[in-house]
Amino acid sequence: NFYFMRPESYNNGIRVLDGRKESGRILADNMMAKGIKIDGVVPIKESGSPAGSGFSERSGIPIIDAVGTSHYVGRSFTLSDQTQREDAVSSKHTIIPDHIKGKSLATIDDSTLRGTTSRIINTGLLRGGASKIHQGAASPPGIDKCTLGVDLRNKKELPAAEVADRPLADIEVFMAKRINSTTMTYLTLDQTSQAFGRETRSMCTACLGGEHPVHGLQEEFPQKASPIVGKPKLAVRISG
């Protein structure tokens, strides 16, 4: 919902774009509840634009276009090599420092998984003159690999997985240090479901610490009582 689906499509009768905006509104509630002072909202385009819009709407804090995005560079997350990912992020995003000097900024993205994009952008904003960076992800922390579509084979690539057994507040503190931000704020699983009008158990949340929709639910094949002995009379090759 927050990562794969086309924004104009529908999920459970809710347009995905609207669900992502609602995620941003809930994220604003979470960040405001911490008493964080923010002067401007910086959506990380394009993925964070809907949530950034919802965040700005709910908080009343204006959007500052401080990060430029090249449309000639694809998603860095799908690249297999960390050096390639960092080079792609540096080529894709540029800092526009004119209106950020001395300001406390909320950088809003749809998710913070490996943290490569967030770390590079946050560092650039601080070098550009921002006083503080408060990162917001319109989703829960990614703590496990995805077996249903994302090219992520090992959860060791996800920093939050190192502290997955800790409370969310501790994970946020840990991730803030990893991505060079003053604070980090996530949504909970239930808040993500709420934004899209779903029950949490009706969504695939395995990579976020929830239940896997397939594992453990497949029908088990019956085991043969005794092993096959002797020379087989028929051999079947199955491919695909």
Side-chain angles (χ1 to χ4, degrees):
N1 294 288
F2 65 85
Y3 197 82
F4 273 129
M5 296 187 70
R6 293 283 304 175
E8 71 274 13
S9 62
Y10 282 89
N11 185 287
N12 198 39
I14 295 177
R15 194 176 291 277
V16 170
L17 178 65
D18 293 335
R20 289 172 178 168
K21 286 184 177 180
E22 180 63 16
S23 297
R25 297 184 189 103
I26 299 172
L27 182 62
D29 292 337
N30 289 358
M31 200 175 287
M32 296 301 102
K34 296 179 179 181
I36 297 173
K37 182 182 180 301
I38 300 168
D39 300 311
V41 179
V42 180
I44 307 305
K45 301 175 181 178
E46 298 293 327
S47 58
S49 293
S53 175
F55 188 104
S56 175
E57 176 189 309
R58 177 64 61 85
S59 66
I61 301 170
I63 288 177
I64 299 177
D65 290 321
V67 178
T69 302
S70 170
H71 295 280
Y72 297 100
V73 181
R75 296 208 73 158
S76 60
F77 185 87
T78 57
L79 298 174
S80 59
D81 180 74
Q82 179 63 16
T83 300
Q84 291 180 332
R85 290 193 289 267
E86 292 180 355
D87 289 344
V89 172
S90 298
S91 300
K92 183 175 182 177
H93 299 289
T94 54
I95 304 302
I96 307 170
D98 303 61
H99 304 294
I100 66 173
K101 295 185 184 301
K103 292 185 177 180
S104 175
L105 304 176
T107 51
I108 308 299
D109 209 344
D110 63 345
S111 57
T112 301
L113 300 175
R114 289 192 185 101
T116 303
T117 298
S118 299
R119 174 174 49 80
I120 291 175
I121 289 178
N122 291 343
T123 299
L125 290 169
L126 290 169
R127 289 175 178 170
S131 61
K132 293 180 180 179
I133 302 294
H134 300 283
Q135 178 83 16
S139 61
I143 60 174
D144 207 346
K145 62 183 179 181
C146 174
T147 58
L148 297 175
V150 178
D151 186 15
L152 183 65
R153 298 180 179 86
N154 195 329
K155 70 178 184 180
K156 291 182 179 179
E157 297 181 32
L158 301 170
E162 298 178 31
V163 290
D165 59 339
R166 301 184 190 177
L168 181 60
D170 291 351
I171 297 176
E172 290 175 337
V173 171
F174 176 84
M175 286 300 298
K177 294 177 181 178
R178 294 294 292 262
I179 62 174
N180 200 18
S181 64
T182 307
T183 66
M184 175 76 220
T185 303
Y186 287 103
L187 297 187
T188 65
L189 282 176
D190 288 343
Q191 287 174 333
T192 300
S193 303
Q194 173 191 336
F196 290 92
R198 300 282 296 271
E199 294 290 333
T200 301
R201 292 196 64 183
S202 71
M203 300 174 66
C204 179
T205 57
C207 64
L208 309 173
E211 297 181 17
H212 197 285
V214 178
H215 289 177
L217 301 178
Q218 306 99 315
E219 180 181 354
E220 293 188 10
F221 291 102
Q223 299 295 315
K224 191 172 181 62
S226 59
I228 298 175
V229 294
K231 187 176 180 180
K233 297 180 180 180
L234 177 67
V236 178
R237 175 177 292 179
I238 301 175
S239 64

